[in-house]
Amino acid sequence: MTATRSTGVRAALRALPLVAGLLPAAVAPAGAVSSGSLTRPLTCEGKGVDPHAQVRYRTETLIHAPLRTVWRLQTDVERWPSWQPSVTTAERLGHGPIRAGSAFRWTVPVPPNPATPATELEITSTVGQLRHHSCVRWTGPAVGEGLRIDGVHVWDFTATEGGVRVRTEETHAGPQVDADVPTASELLRRSLEAWLRDLKTAAEGRG
């Protein structure tokens, strides 16, 4: 890869919110654990993240709120914009409770940068596996002008004496992220930690 192309890709990735919107540098939420200290991949109904993806991250946090509150916030997709500032829109592509086979579409903004114009990243996610109050796994592309990321995301929820331990693991694949794995991995880290931080704040605020 030439220096010019590498610089352009890196600039694009720094502006790219991946799957969670525009995020400042974020500190890990209380109780978070980095992917480096966790070895066994998360699964839901026996299915995990993409084993071949170069970009991956896993982390967790303890939320001091009832399991039903945390689960409802996470699975009530259409209300994500009310507690996740980075999510612009979110809609269900179907009816009824979220379940295996459910699909939803959500958007996050991408600002202009040297590699791509301002655009909106549209993510279409399909639930592959779900166990009520326990885990959910979805997959799907994030597409914007000149951008495509194929993601796999697993969430695990475990009731504890102090609340709920939420664990999450995600992988990304695609030309833009594969061209600069360290930068893409760092952005994925920030997005997942921010998502957990926002989920923790929203759930503990509701009790």
Side-chain angles (χ1 to χ4, degrees):
M1 179 185 298
T2 66
T4 300
R5 183 184 174 196
S6 177
T7 300
V9 169
R10 188 171 292 110
L13 285 171
R14 287 194 177 114
L16 189 63
L18 303 181
V19 297
L22 301 175
L23 301 170
V27 297
V33 179
S34 71
S35 59
S37 64
L38 302 166
T39 55
R40 298 184 62 182
L42 290 181
T43 62
C44 184
E45 299 292 324
K47 299 290 187 179
V49 294
D50 181 355
H52 305 295
Q54 299 183 70
V55 177
R56 65 180 58 232
Y57 192 71
R58 177 176 166 184
T59 189
E60 66 181 61
T61 195
L62 177 64
I63 299 179
H64 301 286
L67 176 57
R68 65 180 181 276
T69 298
V70 178
W71 179 261
R72 185 169 60 250
L73 280 167
Q74 182 67 5
T75 58
D76 190 357
V77 173
E78 292 180 311
R79 294 185 181 274
W80 280 0
S82 70
W83 59 270
Q84 289 196 76
S86 60
V87 178
T88 307
T89 66
E91 63 174 324
R92 285 284 307 279
L93 304 178
H95 304 285
I98 192 168
R99 58 191 182 278
S102 295
F104 50 94
R105 182 179 297 121
W106 46 302
T107 58
V108 294
V110 180
N113 61 83
T116 60
T119 187
E120 192 167 58
L121 197 63
E122 183 178 271
I123 304 126
T124 303
S125 301
T126 301
V127 176
Q129 290 74 33
L130 182 146
R131 189 163 64 246
H132 188 65
H133 282 181
S134 179
C135 67
V136 60
R137 174 184 179 269
W138 62 66
T139 64
V143 180
E145 188 174 347
L147 304 172
R148 181 186 172 99
I149 300 168
D150 291 300
V152 182
H153 204 161
V154 179
W155 292 85
D156 179 88
F157 305 83
T158 305
T160 68
E161 184 176 350
V164 182
R165 183 180 64 170
V166 180
R167 299 185 296 168
T168 184
E169 184 171 17
E170 185 170 8
T171 53
H172 287 165
Q176 286 79 24
V177 295
D178 290 345
D180 191 345
V181 171
T183 299
S185 298
E186 171 61 14
L187 287 170
L188 178 57
R189 180 192 70 81
R190 293 183 186 184
S191 72
L192 290 185
E193 290 177 356
W195 193 325
L196 284 184
R197 181 193 63 214
D198 290 340
L199 180 60
K200 179 180 175 71
T201 298
E204 291 182 350
R206 299 187 183 193

